[in-house]
Amino acid sequence: MDLKVAAVTLCLCTLAFHSTEGGFPKCCVKTRDSVPRIKLMMVRKWHMQESSGPCDISAFVLYVAGRKKPICAHPKVRIHLKQVRRQIMQMKQRKRAEMQ
């Protein structure tokens, strides 16, 4: 009887850790101080990881095209990303103006 209880408990724990609702959060454990400009230009999405939640450190998590793993950057990199995005938008606007 005790073996059945242990087996059921083990199965329930396994399901809890592998389900999308439960388990361990994916947290950055260290950050980069800088990210190459070319990588910043290829960022598809990003989010801030806060140290006040389940994660221990604050990080700017970047999902780059062509990479399976996200880049964990220091939160100050967010300013550089905004600058690069602004420059890309200005270049696109200039190209559209030249084509008209």
Side-chain angles (χ1 to χ4, degrees):
M1 186 71 169
D2 291 328
L3 185 60
K4 289 180 183 179
V5 172
V8 169
T9 303
L10 179 65
C11 289
L12 290 174
C13 288
T14 303
L15 284 173
F17 286 123
H18 289 293
S19 71
T20 57
E21 297 298 320
F24 299 107
K26 294 184 179 178
C27 296
C28 295
V29 293
K30 62 181 180 176
T31 60
R32 296 168 120 183
D33 286 332
S34 65
V35 178
R37 184 180 181 87
I38 191 74
K39 295 287 184 195
L40 290 176
M41 293 176 71
M42 295 173 20
V43 170
R44 295 293 175 226
K45 65 179 184 174
W46 62 86
H47 69 85
M48 284 298 297
Q49 170 183 298
E50 300 294 334
S51 61
S52 61
C55 302
D56 292 336
I57 62 170
S58 293
F60 189 46
V61 185
L62 306 168
Y63 296 90
V64 178
R67 277 183 66 110
K68 290 184 179 181
K69 288 185 174 183
I71 296 174
C72 297
H74 190 277
K76 71 178 182 178
V77 172
R78 185 175 189 177
I79 296 167
H80 300 294
L81 178 66
K82 287 181 181 180
Q83 292 170 347
V84 169
R85 292 283 182 188
R86 190 176 311 123
Q87 290 173 354
I88 291 170
M89 291 300 292
Q90 289 171 351
M91 286 172 41
K92 287 181 180 180
Q93 289 173 352
R94 279 190 222 125
K95 284 183 182 181
R96 277 189 232 137
E98 289 173 1
M99 295 177 82
Q100 294 177 353

